[in-house]
Structures are given as C-alpha cells and as structure tokens.
Amino acid sequence: MKKYLKYIITIAAVGLLAYKSVYFKKLSEVKAKTATAFDAAGFTQKIWSEQLNTKLDSAIELTTLIKAIEAAPADAFNRHTNALAIGNYRNAMVKLNAEVKQVNEDDVLVQLPFADSMLTVKVATEFVYGNAIRDASRLVDVKDFPNTNDLNSISEELNKTVRTTILKPFKQAVKAGDKVVVTGAIEINKAHLNWSEPEIIPVRLQIVN
Amino acid sequence: MIAQLKIGSDTLKRFQSLIALLILCTILSFMTDKFFTADNGLNVLRQIAVNICIATGMTLIVLTAGIDLSVGSVLALCGAVTVGLLRNGVEIPAGDLFVGFTLLGAILGGLLCGWLLGWFNGFAITKFNVPPFVATLAMLTIARGFTMLYTKGHPISNLGKEFAFIGSGSFLGIPVPVWIAAIVVLLAVFITQKTKMGRYIYAIGGNEQAAKLSGININRVKITVYSFAGALAALGGIIVTARLDSAQPNAGMSYELDAIAAVVIGGTSLSGGKGSVWGTVMGAVIIGVLNNGLVLLNVSPFWQQVVKGGVILLAVIIDKAGERRD
C-alpha cells in the first residue's frame, strides 16, 4: 500500500511539473507567425538612405573628439561614443578635413593639423569589417534584435555597402596631395588610448581639390 | 603534550582553507580600500556562485577518486539547450506539433540534459573501464562540438527579463545565483554527511576494492555522482546564460580548471576518500577573492593567471605534506 502511495505521489508530481513546463500548439500556426525572417539588406538600405546622412552631417571633428577625451574621458565617451557590447571598445562617428599623404594598397594615409604638429590618420580602403559603422551610427538598438546573428548581419550589410559604393570610386580617383573630407567610424579602446595613426572606417569620402 | 600538539595540528589542518582566506582578506583590506565593502562582497559572491555549483559536483566526483574535465563544455551545451527550448521549443513536423517550453520547463530540460551527459560519462567510466580523465576529456570535445552545432556558432541573446532574473536578480538583497549556490551546497552537504550515498562515495574513494567487497554497487554510485555533477554543471550553465542574457557557444571555457582548483585548495584529496563540500566552498571563495583582489590592485591579467596557478600548486604541496605527516 505504502509502495503504491509512493508511486502515485511521484506520478502526480511529475505530471504537475510537466503540465507547468510545456504547452502544445499547431506547428503550422507557429510557423505562420514567425515566417517573417529578418531582412538585413532591406533594413540596412533603409537606414543608409533615410537616417545615416543626418548622423554623418552631425559627426564630431576628430580633433575635437581627441581633445574632449583627453580633457574629460568619462564625459566624452558618454557623449560622443557608443557601444552595443560590454567592454572597453567604443565607437564614434568622426569627420576630418585632411590632405592625402600616401595611397597604399589597403589604406590611404591622410594628414591634418593637430595641436602643434600633424596628425596622421589611416583611412581603411580595403579591409572594412567589424561593427564600427553600425555602433558609431547609433541607429541600431540591441534590444530590437532577438539574436546576435541578425545584429551582426546589419554590420555585414553596412560594410558591404561601403566597400561597393564608397570605396570603389574613391580608390580609383584618390592620389597623394588631394584634399579630402572623410566621415567615418573610429573604434577607441578606453583602456589604452593611442592617437598614433588612428584608423577610420569611412562612410562618406569627398575629394575637394 | 604530544596529544595536545596533535589536536592543535588537526584543528589547523581542518581550518587551513578558512585561515588562508582570512589572511588573504586581511592583506587585501590593507592594500585596497575598495575590497572590504558590502558591494564588493556581493560582487565576489555573485561571481563565484557558478564555480561553487560546478565545484560541488566535482567534489563528489573527486571523492570517488575520479575527475570530470567536461563540466565547462557541459555548462555551455546545457545553457544553450535551455535557451533553445525557451525561445524555439521543439518542432515535430510529422505531427504538425509545436512543443513550447515555459521557463520552468526550459530549466528542467537544461538540467536533464546535464544529467544525461553526466550519466554518459559515468556509464563510459564504469561499464567500459575508460579512465575518468579520458572519458570526460572526450565529453569535453563532444559537448563543445554539439554546442557549436546547436548554436551554429552564434550567441543566442535577448532571453527575457524572467530568465535574466536568475543571473542578475536579487532576493532579500542577496543575488539569486548566491541563493542557488547555497541550496546546492546544502544539498551536497546533506548527501555527503547524512545519506547512505554519501558514505558510499567516501568508501569508494577510500578503497574501491574494499567498498566493492562490502557490497556497495560501485557502478551505480559512480554513475549517480557523475550524473549529479553533470546536472550541477547545467545549473551553472543556466546561471551564466541568464547573467549574460545570452547563450555563448564558447561559454565555460576552462571552467573545469577553476572547479578542480577550488576542490584542491579546499583540501579534497585527488586520490579520493578525503575532503568535504565545505572545503570546496572555501576553495572557491579563495579563488574568487584572489581574482577580485588582483583586479582591484590592477594586476595584469597575465600575472593573475600566474598567481592563481601558484596558489593551486602551493595548496597541493601543503596537502601532500600534511598527508606525509599523517
């Protein structure tokens, strides 16, 4: 009798747990609801054409950002930079008027006056990867995306657009001595500030000779 | 006089981890004023909760003279399975059926996954006589591979506030992971000190042959212990995933080393039969305090690893010296 009681209690407990643990639906109904997969290309195209220009127009001058960070790092990082991930890396959308010093296979070195000397900046023209543009633009909120895959696909699309529509014509036209206006994303390591040849991932490039 | 010295020496040995912890805390309190604060204490406890869960299971295994190298990978796989069940459920196209999981169901699913992986470890060790080191090393790779397959190498994030509460919430001012770790420890202490199973674990670790001859079903005890440790690794995985609000395919990398370190520093003998869950808790706290102290003192992460390794080595040397004296 005691044995049967034990079995009954066990079965009842398992049944209750199962009842509280799972629910059933028709697969076809669930599929119909979740059929709309994330369209990274469409999303990126929309923010590229409708929202990014405003962000580029309001980008901070690189030299101003450096000065702000050197004067009050916490405040400057808070006001001018953005990051979607935890860590020391922050991204900012910056602008600079500079002169092309050297055209390399993978980048273009430009110079601009800063303090009492010249600051050399590397503009990436070949390897445009990572999340710098997406994060610096502040147009994407991590909370809107159910998985990191979708979030990363936005970066991929943004980088692809830069490679195909911005860099291709620029690389064909640019030469040493050209005056350029560069607007793009910069990644800054909060813990190890280094302004020696910072790298910009360009989003807008104009030759203004 | 000799008897008194012996009692003193025994007491010292019994409380060696606690004494080491007190010395460490005292030194760190003098070196940085950020250390001895309530916030930092809770922070340390939150950080070590996962290691306590894993190391508690590891203690039971080590007490049977075994080892489990797979806990880090099991943690990652079970964390991923839990959030996979929670977010995606299970699809059965043949029956046009979708099985959805509530938070409770997903957690139970993750724990069951850990239990089964641990059971497989125990089964391989007992039925096929595979050395625990090799069997669990194989499971380390298998579970990591399955994690990559399951997550397709990408993190799964945005798991909802309810789930995140497990990792970052608080109850009565104490972080939830700390409550979970406390329950795990009390359960393990109860098992080791108040049940037949506990006595069997110590007996197997002390002398497996003698335990077998005295009628203990060694295989069953070992399989249960490995399964239990697997479930605790899964619990650790659920906490880590909830804390990060994301199932990372590379979560739990080298967590097994921290768990083994906690067990060893806590005075459990790697040859089995000697040690306690409380000792392991002390070991985990020592590692946590050491990590925290080194971070507060701005010591380079590279040096932190060197120091941690040194402490583990020192603990083993002290333990061996004690064994020789005995």
Side-chain angles (χ1 to χ4, degrees), chain A residues 20-21 23 25 27-28 145-146, chain B residues 87 96 98 100 102 157-158:
Chain A
K20 291 278 183 190
S21 298
Y23 56 89
K25 281 183 180 174
L27 182 60
S28 49
F145 294 87
Chain B
R87 278 175 55 102
D96 190 25
F98 172 81
T102 61
S157 53
N158 264 11

Side-chain angles (χ1 to χ4, degrees), chain B residues 104-121:
Chain B
L104 174 69
I107 290 171
L108 289 176
L111 293 177
L112 182 66
C113 175
W115 182 276
L116 290 175
L117 292 170
W119 181 89
F120 190 83
N121 277 336

Side-chain angles (χ1 to χ4, degrees), chain B residues 12-95:
Chain B
L12 195 69
K13 200 178 168 197
R14 197 171 164 201
F15 294 106
Q16 63 188 22
S17 304
L18 185 63
I19 294 164
L21 178 63
L22 289 175
I23 292 170
L24 189 62
C25 289
T26 310
I27 293 169
L28 287 171
S29 304
F30 281 113
M31 290 179 85
T32 166
D33 54 359
K34 289 174 195 155
F35 176 75
F36 208 70
T37 61
D39 278 350
N40 191 49
L42 288 178
N43 185 31
V44 172
L45 286 175
R46 193 192 286 272
Q47 284 170 356
I48 62 171
V50 172
N51 193 25
I52 287 180
C53 290
I54 303 171
T56 300
M58 186 72 79
T59 306
L60 303 187
I61 290 177
V62 173
L63 282 173
T64 64
I67 194 96
D68 186 352
L69 301 180
S70 68
V71 284
S73 300
V74 169
L75 173 149
L77 179 56
C78 296
V81 166
T82 305
V83 299
L85 293 176
L86 189 64
R87 278 175 55 102
N88 308 324
V90 174
E91 294 176 0
I92 307 169

Side-chain angles (χ1 to χ4, degrees), chain A residues 21-132:
Chain A
S21 298
V22 292
Y23 56 89
F24 301 94
K25 281 183 180 174
K26 275 196 165 183
L27 182 60
S28 49
E29 284 173 10
V30 175
K31 285 271 184 195
K33 271 188 187 171
T34 55
T36 48
F38 176 62
D39 173 19
F43 179 87
T44 307
Q45 189 54 42
K46 195 172 158 61
I47 59 170
W48 182 274
S49 57
E50 293 175 14
Q51 295 168 285
L52 195 60
N53 273 332
T54 322
K55 296 287 177 185
L56 297 180
D57 292 342
S58 62
I60 186 172
E61 287 285 341
L62 176 64
T63 49
T64 311
L65 177 68
I66 295 174
K67 281 177 195 164
I69 290 174
E70 283 177 350
D75 182 50
F77 278 117
N78 197 27
R79 287 175 57 186
H80 303 299
T81 69
N82 185 40
L84 297 191
I86 301 164
N88 285 325
Y89 286 96
R90 307 283 301 180
N91 300 278
M93 198 62 83
V94 294
K95 187 161 57 181
L96 53 141
N97 287 274
E99 187 178 313
V100 175
K101 183 184 159 194
Q102 198 176 315
V103 178
N104 300 321
E105 200 177 332
D106 301 334
D107 53 59
V108 171
L109 295 182
V110 300
Q111 277 192 323
L112 68 159
F114 178 61
D116 298 330
S117 59
M118 298 297 280
L119 174 68
T120 303
V121 177
K122 188 191 278 183
V123 179
T125 54
E126 183 66 30
F127 301 109
V128 176
Y129 295 107
N131 301 316

